[in-house]
Amino acid sequence: MVAGRRVMLFVLVFAVVAAVAGAFAFPVCALAMGQAEQTEQTGTFAATVVDPTGAVIPGAEVTLTNQSVKGARAVTATSDGAGMLQVSNLPPGEYTVEARATGFSPVKRQHVTIRAGRVERLTLKLPIEVQEQKVEVNGNELDASPDSNGSAIVLKGSDLDALPDDPQELQEQLQAIAGANPDAGTQFYVDGFSGGRIPPKSEIKEIRINQNPYSAQYDEMGWGRVEVITKAGTGKWHGNVFLQGNDSSFNSRNPFVKTQPPYHSFSLQGGVSGPVTKHTSQFTDVWHQSSADDSIVNAFVLDDGLNQVPFTATYPNTGSMTDWSTRFDMDVGERQSLSLRYSLMQYLRSNAGVGQFELASQAYDSHSTEQTLQFSDTQTYGTKLLNETRFQYIRQRDRQSPKSLGPTIVVQGGFTGGGSNQGVNDDNQDHYELQDYVQTSRKKHTIAFGARLRMSRDSNFSMGNFNGQYTFASLTAYQIMKQGLQQGWTPDEIRAAGGGPSLFSQTTGEPSIAVSVFDMGLYAEDNYKIRPN
């Protein structure tokens, strides 16, 4: 009897436990099935936000709005330190994607399709935000002067800060913003002078793009014209310095080479500005870049036994660029101001021309120096007459020297060896420019006229391919020739066996030439306003 009661009690306890376990198990199974069903019925959006140069933008805000569902709430996400973001559990449909970041113009993508169970990936490239100079209509206060056209773009202050620091990258960015005709190209004017290079950003006070495109003062129509105004000295002393470097110890190893020499890059930027006397001021700026890099050679050559073998090696090369500029401004009385600016740019490169199929014997060194001297004299007579005289001289010297002057050997699909066919190159350029402009105001008329004289001389010496070049159709043809020479074969026997070069070329003649160009321009224009608007 006692045993029967124990059996009944055990059965009762087991039934209660089974019932409780079943009650908990059903919701758990239902939840797992619900999650799987939800994953299969929703999609995922992933994006990388970058600037025009391809650099990632952290902290960018991306908003997704479902166009397929009326009144659907927008979903917002922020890019991480690598410029990436991801949004999951999105209902399938057509979405509008909009990306925003400080210092950049917003970008909107329409009709982005999100599919169930899939990941939609996008790269969102944000253009740099620029400040547009617009004509504002306010009663009779509309300014109809040519300098106030609605398509002009003026960059200064924080807009300049958003542009690249490197002068070459800065020039490419300005060309893109100007949107010039590809055939005409972009016209650059630095402090009113033509033919100059873009100075470092730290020297620039203001950049004007497409301002007064119909001015008769310039050679061509002004669409695609970039005017750069450099900084003058200030009434108080100011200074800044910026350093940046990178070393190979912080980077991953190149997977194509076993050993790689160390490499690094370094940049320095600094400037100082302030008064010299009560009526004079100066501004001095320096920009320096240097790098020690490696060139990777992946070629096919012949070993000591004249067998075809792959060849991989690294060769160090160095480069540096220094841009130094100083400007001196002086007030002479109340009507006249003088400005003198000098800049020196020097570029050095060693062991260039090596890499891929080009062996170490193809290396050459290059050296370039450019000096610019600018002078301007501005005179004002009352409030209605202005006269400005400007002079500029640019002296540019470029030299290129190969490591070897022997004949060049080009083996197609194998290697390029022997001497460098770049040869010795010397290029000497001198540019002169003289301007005088007058502007006066007479009631409703603004009259401007002036003259410009320019002269350029280019003296060039080039020994390119004076050493001659042998071209082999294949590495096998080169191998047969080397084996034949080793065995004492004649040239006819080598050619009969399929060896020898298929082409020989050489440049001969006078390596020097000098060209001079002179031009003069006169202009006059009258901007007449019938009414202020």
Side-chain angles (χ1 to χ4, degrees), residues 178-244:
N181 186 322
D183 297 329
T186 306
Q187 310 168 53
F188 286 97
Y189 292 85
V190 179
D191 290 333
F193 295 101
S194 61
R197 56 182 174 79
I198 298 297
K201 189 176 70 174
S202 55
E203 297 181 27
I204 298 176
K205 175 184 177 182
E206 187 175 299
I207 298 177
R208 301 170 185 170
I209 301 176
N210 299 335
Q211 189 173 49
N212 194 358
Y214 302 105
S215 173
Q217 178 180 343
Y218 300 97
D219 300 63
E220 301 175 358
M221 191 75 72
W223 305 113
R225 184 171 69 235
V226 178
E227 301 172 54
V228 178
I229 296 92
T230 60
K231 294 178 180 178
T234 57
K236 295 183 179 180
W237 284 100
H238 297 276
N240 66 85
V241 63
F242 171 80
L243 301 172
Q244 180 176 338

Side-chain angles (χ1 to χ4, degrees), residues 231-312:
K231 294 178 180 178
T234 57
K236 295 183 179 180
W237 284 100
H238 297 276
N240 66 85
V241 63
F242 171 80
L243 301 172
Q244 180 176 338
N246 182 28
D247 189 81
S248 57
S249 59
F250 298 106
N251 301 326
S252 59
R253 187 181 63 83
N254 192 307
F256 298 103
V257 293
K258 296 181 179 179
T259 60
Q260 186 173 2
Y263 58 91
H264 70 271
S265 63
F266 172 76
S267 61
L268 163 69
Q269 176 185 338
V272 61
S273 172
V276 180
T277 65
K278 183 178 181 181
H279 299 287
T280 60
S281 62
Q282 69 85 36
F283 177 83
T284 301
D285 182 83
V286 63
W287 168 270
H288 175 77
Q289 284 182 315
S290 64
S291 64
D293 207 348
D294 301 324
S295 298
I296 311 298
V297 175
N298 285 300
F300 292 90
V301 298
L302 301 180
D303 61 11
D304 295 337
L306 300 183
N307 301 307
Q308 299 184 17
V309 294
F311 178 76
T312 301

Side-chain angles (χ1 to χ4, degrees), residues 416-437:
T416 299
S420 173
N421 61 3
Q422 298 290 330
V424 176
N425 285 271
D426 283 312
D427 188 64
N428 301 329
Q429 298 184 34
D430 296 278
H431 304 273
Y432 304 87
E433 184 171 353
L434 177 64
Q435 308 172 4
D436 189 80
Y437 297 133

